[in-house]
Amino acid sequence: MHFYRQLTPISALTFDLDDTLYDNRPVIVRAEQAMFDWLTQILPSRIMIDKTVWSSLKSQLAMLDPMLKHDVSLWRYETIKIGLMQLGFRLSEAEILAQQGLDTVLAVRNQVDVPAETHRVLKQLSAHFPLVGLTNGNVDAEKIGLAPYFVEVFQAGKDGLAKPEADLFNLAVNTLNLPAATILHVGDHVITDVKGAKQHGFQACWFNDQQKLIQQQSKALILPDVEITQLAQLLEIVGLEN
């Protein structure tokens, strides 16, 4: 644990979900594979699936419509729909199949192994502080067993623009009815979480379980208030453990 600034009294905490409360990387790998397995089943055998082509299409769509990055579910839906249309499917057919593809991905996306330590820490914190989840992803907090710890979970796309934009942070402030300066935001990303929190008046805790050096993070233009390597260190920060 490393302090860059002295923390002021904390009345509530907000949390990023992916890669903060659990390791999301293997989940995304499985979800991507599920999409390509599904495509293999619905496409004629003569059509070879090139993953790089689909990845390139996804990037191209984001360049044409940057707002797609604020809603990862819609971004995937549009990628599948346009990709199928490029392969000759009619619009109406592509729309139906794109929803099926998205549903397939989301089913795997919500198969998350949340560590027991995360449950322990959130249970203790939620008994003393109101907690709010702020995610740029499309995981369902209810389905992965985290919803009971949170007063509310706000999701980019459905609830507003993605972090580091103000939307989700403002929703947290309004929900908690507390000054932003009394809220500690916890997240793993130096831009969406640390920069976003600090820009909108929150205190920021950088969750760094990958042993990264902040000095080597070229995008880290704003220092967090505190850096932790284990979620349980939050209990010490808020005075619940020595």
Side-chain angles (χ1 to χ4, degrees):
M1 183 161 51
H2 182 80
F3 289 90
Y4 296 93
R5 304 180 192 85
Q6 183 175 354
L7 292 172
T8 57
I10 297 166
S11 299
L13 295 91
T14 56
F15 282 88
D16 171 56
L17 303 186
D18 296 339
D19 293 320
T20 297
L21 299 181
Y22 48 83
D23 186 357
N24 195 50
R25 286 156 294 193
V27 179
I28 295 302
V29 170
R30 292 196 301 269
E32 291 287 344
Q33 188 59 51
M35 186 188 83
F36 288 115
D37 290 344
W38 171 80
L39 283 170
T40 300
Q41 293 173 6
I42 68 161
L43 293 176
S45 58
R46 59 182 171 78
I47 298 179
M48 299 295 293
I49 296 176
D50 187 335
K51 293 183 179 181
T52 60
V53 171
W54 285 86
S55 178
S56 177
L57 173 60
K58 184 179 180 182
S59 299
Q60 290 171 18
L61 290 178
M63 291 178 63
L64 292 171
D65 183 3
M67 291 299 291
L68 285 174
K69 290 187 175 182
H70 292 281
D71 188 334
V72 292
S73 290
L74 179 61
W75 191 6
R76 185 177 294 276
Y77 171 87
E78 288 295 326
T79 300
I80 298 173
K81 184 186 76 175
I82 299 300
L84 291 175
M85 290 176 67
Q86 289 180 346
L87 292 173
F89 287 80
R90 296 188 302 273
L91 173 60
S92 58
E93 192 176 14
E95 288 176 336
I96 293 171
L97 288 172
Q99 186 60 54
Q100 292 178 7
L102 176 60
D103 291 342
T104 298
V105 171
L106 290 177
V108 178
R109 175 73 177 88
N110 288 311
Q111 296 171 5
V112 177
D113 294 322
V114 178
E117 181 71 346
T118 294
H119 286 288
R120 183 184 78 86
V121 172
L122 291 181
K123 184 177 181 180
Q124 284 191 243
L125 288 172
S126 63
H128 297 85
F129 299 91
L131 310 181
V132 170
L134 306 178
T135 179
N136 284 355
N138 54 3
V139 74
D140 187 324
E142 187 76 44
K143 290 182 179 179
I144 66 172
L146 291 180
Y149 305 117
F150 295 107
V151 174
E152 191 67 74
V153 175
F154 295 113
Q155 188 179 85
K158 177 171 69 72
D159 297 310
L161 299 181
K163 300 172 294 179
E165 300 299 329
D167 296 31
L168 303 189
F169 293 104
N170 287 342
L171 284 170
V173 169
N174 293 336
T175 298
L176 294 166
N177 195 27
L178 291 168
T182 67
I183 304 170
L184 179 67
H185 178 69
V186 184
D188 70 293
H189 201 284
V190 293
I191 297 296
T192 60
D193 292 308
V194 174
K195 180 182 178 183
K198 294 303 296 178
Q199 279 187 328
H200 304 301
F202 287 55
Q203 298 183 78
C205 174
W206 182 38
F207 178 66
N208 175 26
D209 66 336
Q210 300 298 308
Q211 287 74 52
K212 298 176 182 177
L213 295 176
I214 193 117
Q215 299 91 335
Q216 296 178 358
Q217 304 304 304
S218 59
K219 295 181 180 180
L221 303 179
I222 300 178
L223 287 173
D225 296 288
V226 62
E227 173 186 338
I228 61 174
T229 57
Q230 299 175 22
L231 210 59
Q233 291 171 322
L234 287 170
L235 300 175
E236 181 180 346
I237 289 173
V238 300
L240 295 181
E241 283 187 1
N242 296 325

